Amino acid sequence: MQPNPNKLNISAVSDDWRGVALSNFVLSPFTFDGRLFASIEGFIQGIKFPESDARRERAFILSGWDAKNLGGEADLKGVYWNGDCLAYGSAQHHQLIEAAIRTRILQSEGLRQALLSTQGLLLVHETGFPDSPNTSLPTPVFCRIMNEIRQELQQGALS
């Protein structure tokens, strides 16, 4: 597959290093709500488990397929954060993931610069597979989040 010079695929399978670096799968430690996470994927998968479940903490220190596969064991009854259970796939669930993604990018000068360097490119998320009906973060939601963060960085609204 030839790279498209007009778009950036934000995915672990991207042919552009920026797309890989900005993907949820990559090992990219960040702190959120006073906790350390290895990756966004680990965060996304870990919150699927109740706070008393040991798999939750294990997911938080994983990245990539290790985190994704562990999350496959969750029952998807909800996502759990700070004592609350949010409906799986709800706007609140997506807002929680968005807050984690924003935090990760804001904590990394390199990621901010990588995202800013994509000005003028269409941001897409193409993995070679359609979204699962049970996905935590649908492609349109993820792309909206990344576009909004990029726009806010370009406008100097985030630092």
Side-chain angles (χ1 to χ4, degrees), residues 80-100:
Y80 307 88
W81 193 249
N82 290 335
D84 293 325
C85 178
L86 308 174
Y88 188 86
S90 67
Q92 294 81 12
H93 176 198
H94 295 156
Q95 288 165 356
L96 178 60
I97 294 171
E98 178 175 355

Side-chain angles (χ1 to χ4, degrees), residues 3-147:
N4 182 331
N6 299 315
K7 70 179 181 181
L8 176 73
N9 183 20
I10 300 178
S11 168
V13 299
S14 180
D15 56 17
D16 186 308
W17 70 268
R18 297 170 298 178
V20 174
L22 291 164
S23 79
N24 295 336
F25 262 43
V26 72
L27 177 63
S28 180
F30 68 101
T31 56
F32 179 67
D33 277 357
R35 299 196 53 171
L36 180 63
F37 300 91
S39 68
I40 292 294
E41 193 64 29
F43 174 82
I44 288 171
Q45 301 306 325
I47 63 175
K48 292 178 180 179
F49 297 102
E51 291 170 295
S52 60
D53 191 315
R55 293 172 294 181
R56 175 186 180 87
E57 295 302 319
R58 203 163 99 227
F60 289 162
I61 62 170
L62 296 175
S63 62
W65 283 108
D66 292 333
K68 181 89 169 170
N69 290 337
L70 181 58
E73 298 176 12
D75 61 24
L76 307 183
K77 290 182 180 174
V79 295
Y80 307 88
W81 193 249
N82 290 335
D84 293 325
C85 178
L86 308 174
Y88 188 86
S90 67
Q92 294 81 12
H93 176 198
H94 295 156
Q95 288 165 356
L96 178 60
I97 294 171
E98 178 175 355
I101 291 170
R102 285 176 169 278
T103 298
R104 171 187 170 237
I105 292 172
L106 290 177
Q107 288 177 7
S108 171
E109 177 66 24
L111 290 177
R112 289 193 309 275
Q113 291 304 316
L115 187 54
L116 280 168
S117 76
T118 69
Q119 183 173 357
L121 298 178
L122 175 66
L123 300 180
V124 299
H125 178 66
E126 298 170 349
T127 63
F129 302 97
D131 278 351
S132 160
N134 295 324
T135 189
S136 293
L137 187 61
T139 293
V141 176
F142 178 61
C143 291
R144 176 195 54 79
I145 291 167
M146 297 305 289
N147 276 294

